[in-house]
Amino acid sequence: MKKCLLIAVLTIGTLNLNAQQYALFNTKTLFDAFENPAQKAFTLDSSRKFASNLLLPYFDLSGLNKGSSDEALRNLINKGYSNHRLGPFDKDFEKTMYENNNIYLLSFRIFKNHKFHKEMGFSWQVRSETQINYAENKSLGIFENFGKWLTIPRVNVFNNNGKLQSYHQFSFSYRENYNKNWALGAKISLLSGIGYTEFYANNSSVNINPNTNTMHLVMNGTYRANYSNENKVKIADLMPFKNPGLSISLGTTYTTKNGFHLMANLKDLGFIWWGKKSYEGNFNIDETLNDVTGDNAAAIMRKNMQKIETSFGENKKFVSKTTAKADFSVSKTFGAYKPTLILSKNVFDDFGEAALVNTLTSGNFSISAVPSYTLQKQFKVGAQAMYQTPNFEFFLGSNDLIESYYASKEILKNQETQLTGYHRGSVYLGIAFKMGYVVEHPMNMSWMPGVGENKDQKSFFSKMFGIFKKKAKN
C-alpha cells in the first residue's frame, strides 16, 4: 500500500506528534467541557438544556504515508546492510516520538441546575497513546497495528524502543461554580483496553550479506503485549468491556476581577489491567537467517522474525498506566482578539509543550493560529476555524500544518517517501447541537429547575470541603 493509511474511528495507532486541540481551550464547546472538567458548555438565557454530538464523532484523524518502506527494506537487504547498537541511545541522536489520538464517539451533557451552574455529562471515547524512542538518522519505527513486534521497524531495524496503548473510555463528568470566581469539575472514567505493546531492545545488531544470502541478527531485551494469537486485528478485539481500568480527571478555573481566566487540570490519571491473553517475556536472540534476499525479502524477514518470536514470552497479566497530563492556561479577551497561553506536561515522562493560541472572532466565526514548542525541541504550527452559536458548533483544524502539507502533497503527487516511507499529517473536526428549552435566568422566567429550593442549599463541592471547617458553637 503506497498511498495513505488513514487511521479512522476505531483503527488507532499512528505516528503523529503528541497533540491536544489547544485552540478549543476556553471556547465553551462540548469538547472543551469534557476535556477540561471545570469548563462550562451552557450559557444562561441563550443555550438549550441538552447538548450532544448526536452520534457524529469528534474526529481526530491522523494519516501515515507508508510510502516505499517495503521497497526500501528490500533494497537494503539485496545491497547489504549493517547496523549495531549496545546500551542506551546516544543522547546526541536520541529522539522521542509521541502520539495521543482522542476520538469522542458519543457525548451527552445536561444543564442540571441554575444555582452554582451545575452541569453533568456522559461520554464514550476511543484513545491511543504511543511513545517511540529512536536514534535520529539511524532508526525509525513503522507500526503495524497490534502486531507482536509492533515497535520493530521495517527499515534501519532493531535500534528503537517504544510502546503503544489503545482503549475505550466511558466517562461521567460534573462541574459547578464554587463561588463567583472559582469553578471545580471532575471526570470519572471506566476504561476498557483494546491493545497494548511495549518493546525495549538494549542490545541489537543486524548484518545482511547479499553475497551469502544471509542475515545475522542479534537482539536482547524485553517486551509486553496484548494481541490476538493470529497477529491480526479482529472486530472482537475492538469491542469494549475487556481489560478493565479506571481513570480520573480534575479541573479548576479562576476568573480574576480584571478579566483574566486561569485554568488548571490533572487529566486521565489512571491504569488498565491487561488480562490472560497478554504476554510478557525476555528475549536473547542470536540467529542467522538464510535465503533473505530477492523480491520477497521484506516478507521473508518478517516471517522469520515471527518464527523467532514464538520462542519467547509467557502468558502473564500486567498493569499499565495511562498518559496523564497536567495543564495550565491563562487567557484574556481584548475585543475581537483573545490570546491563550497553555502549558502542558506529561506526568510520567518528560514530554512537555507550550502553546500560544491566537484567536480572532467576528460574530459567530473565529479563526485561531497556534504555534507551539515542545521540551523535545520540536516546533509546530496549528490552525483552526470555528462557527459557534449558543446552540450549535462546528470546528475544523490541524495540529501540525507543516507536516500535513507535506504529507498531502506526497499523496496527491503519488510520491514515495525514502528509506522509512514515513510522513505524518493530522486533521480534526467536530459538530454538536443543543436541544430542549432555553436555560433562562430566573429573573426572566417564572420557573426553572433548581429555583425555589432551600435557600440554604449548598453545592456538592461546598459540602465536601465543609468537613474541614469548624462547626459553630451553640
Side-chain angles (χ1 to χ4, degrees):
M1 181 178 178
K2 295 184 178 180
K3 291 187 178 180
C4 181
L5 175 63
L6 287 180
I7 307 303
V9 180
L10 290 178
T11 309
I12 309 299
T14 60
L15 293 179
N16 63 306
L17 288 176
N18 189 82
Q20 293 195 75
Q21 283 73 33
Y22 294 125
L24 291 172
F25 279 40
N26 299 319
T27 57
K28 293 186 179 180
T29 58
L30 193 58
F31 183 93
D32 182 29
F34 277 108
E35 284 296 291
N36 303 304
Q39 290 287 79
K40 297 178 182 179
F42 297 88
T43 303
L44 283 177
D45 299 326
S46 300
S47 298
R48 297 184 180 274
K49 183 177 182 179
F50 305 103
S52 176
N53 63 352
L54 295 177
L55 295 176
L56 299 172
Y58 281 124
F59 283 106
D60 180 357
L61 302 182
S62 299
L64 178 64
N65 188 333
K66 294 175 66 176
S68 57
S69 58
D70 277 341
E71 181 179 346
L73 178 58
R74 187 163 56 247
N75 289 338
L76 286 175
I77 293 175
N78 291 333
K79 293 177 181 178
Y81 175 74
S82 180
N83 204 330
H84 306 266
R85 181 174 71 82
L86 176 63
F89 290 110
D90 186 336
K91 290 297 181 182
D92 293 333
F93 296 99
E94 182 181 0
K95 296 291 181 181
T96 302
M97 185 178 295
Y98 294 90
E99 171 272 332
N100 183 10
N101 276 343
N102 180 13
I103 300 175
Y104 279 85
L105 297 180
L106 178 64
S107 58
F108 181 73
R109 197 169 180 91
I110 305 169
F111 182 85
K112 181 63 177 175
N113 199 314
H114 160 261
K115 195 170 186 180
F116 308 113
H117 197 110
K118 297 177 181 179
E119 298 179 14
M120 63 174 58
F122 306 88
S123 62
W124 173 21
Q125 300 161 254
V126 176
R127 310 192 65 160
S128 73
E129 304 160 348
T130 303
Q131 177 181 330
I132 307 171
N133 302 314
Y134 66 97
E136 187 178 32
N137 300 324
K138 293 184 179 181
S139 63
L140 181 63
I142 297 295
F143 278 80
E144 294 182 8
N145 290 343
F146 309 109
K148 297 184 181 181
W149 293 99
L150 280 174
T151 54
I152 298 179
R154 295 183 178 182
V155 184
N156 293 343
V157 287
F158 316 131
N159 293 316
N160 65 318
N161 308 315
K163 60 182 178 180
L164 176 148
Q165 177 171 250
S166 59
Y167 55 92
H168 296 274
Q169 182 171 351
F170 301 92
S171 305
F172 168 76
S173 64
Y174 176 83
R175 66 87 56 204
E176 66 178 31
N177 292 340
Y178 183 68
N179 55 34
K180 291 182 179 180
N181 302 104
W182 287 96
L184 301 171
K187 179 179 176 180
I188 310 296
S189 302
L190 294 176
L191 309 180
S192 175
I194 298 174
Y196 183 93
T197 186
E198 181 178 356
F199 175 89
Y200 178 75
N202 50 33
N203 176 25
S204 64
S205 71
V206 58
N207 291 279
I208 300 171
N209 189 337
N211 296 322
T212 60
N213 197 15
T214 60
M215 177 175 70
H216 184 220
L217 169 66
V218 175
M219 183 163 56
N220 309 109
T222 60
Y223 78 96
R224 296 195 300 180
N226 173 274
Y227 47 79
S228 63
N229 293 332
E230 293 80 10
N231 196 25
K232 296 179 181 179
V233 180
K234 295 181 177 180
I235 296 298
D237 296 327
L238 303 177
M239 293 297 101
F241 311 117
K242 294 183 177 181
N243 307 303
L246 296 169
S247 72
I248 186 171
S249 298
L250 302 172
T252 184
T253 64
Y254 180 79
T255 303
T256 67
K257 293 181 179 179
N258 52 0
F260 283 94
H261 182 79
L262 309 178
M263 180 174 67
N265 299 302
L266 176 62
K267 297 181 180 178
D268 302 308
L269 181 64
F271 50 88
I272 298 175
W273 287 283
W274 297 94
K276 61 183 180 180
K277 291 185 178 180
S278 304
Y279 275 80
E280 187 173 82
N282 301 312
F283 52 87
N284 188 351
I285 301 171
D286 189 341
E287 295 280 344
T288 298
L289 308 178
N290 298 314
D291 300 322
V292 296
T293 59
D295 293 337
N296 296 322
I300 292 172
M301 193 192 81
R302 287 197 299 274
K303 183 177 180 179
N304 280 296
M305 283 300 304
Q306 290 174 2
K307 190 182 299 182
I308 293 172
E309 178 269 334
T310 57
S311 303
F312 304 95
E314 61 179 343
N315 285 112
K316 189 174 183 180
K317 300 178 181 180
F318 60 87
V319 177
S320 66
K321 300 186 294 288
T322 55
T323 301
K325 300 175 183 293
D327 291 341
F328 174 80
S329 74
V330 55
S331 65
K332 182 176 171 63
T333 301
F334 301 92
Y337 173 61
K338 182 173 74 172
T340 303
L341 175 64
I342 301 171
L343 304 176
S344 180
K345 177 69 175 65
N346 286 8
V347 175
F348 298 118
D349 59 58
D350 60 358
F351 181 86
E353 189 169 13
L356 179 62
V357 181
N358 301 275
T359 301
L360 287 174
T361 302
S362 177
N364 295 324
F365 293 91
S366 66
I367 56 173
S368 302
V370 191
S372 63
Y373 191 73
T374 74
L375 292 178
Q376 287 65 41
K377 300 181 180 179
Q378 297 162 330
F379 178 75
K380 297 184 296 178
V381 178
Q384 177 183 279
M386 177 185 290
Y387 177 79
Q388 184 181 27
T389 71
N391 296 301
F392 175 79
E393 62 196 49
F394 173 81
F395 54 83
L396 174 66
S398 174
N399 295 305
D400 196 334
L401 286 177
I402 299 172
E403 286 292 341
S404 297
Y405 166 75
Y406 284 115
S408 60
K409 184 178 179 181
E410 270 200 351
I411 294 167
L412 292 174
K413 292 186 176 182
N414 197 28
Q415 295 176 342
E416 294 184 348
T417 52
Q418 300 299 315
L419 289 181
T420 58
Y422 164 74
H423 257 307
R424 71 177 184 271
S426 69
V427 62
Y428 63 88
L429 61 91
I431 185 170
F433 303 84
K434 293 187 177 74
M435 302 157 288
Y437 61 79
V438 176
V439 288
E440 295 176 309
H441 193 278
M443 297 295 293
N444 301 327
M445 63 180 300
S446 59
W447 176 85
M448 188 175 181
V451 177
E453 296 180 4
N454 188 346
K455 294 183 179 180
D456 296 327
Q457 178 188 6
K458 295 182 179 180
S459 71
F460 170 78
F461 288 110
S462 294
K463 293 177 182 178
M464 185 173 66
F465 295 145
I467 62 175
F468 301 106
K469 295 180 181 180
K470 293 183 179 180
K471 294 183 178 180
K473 294 182 179 180
N474 293 328

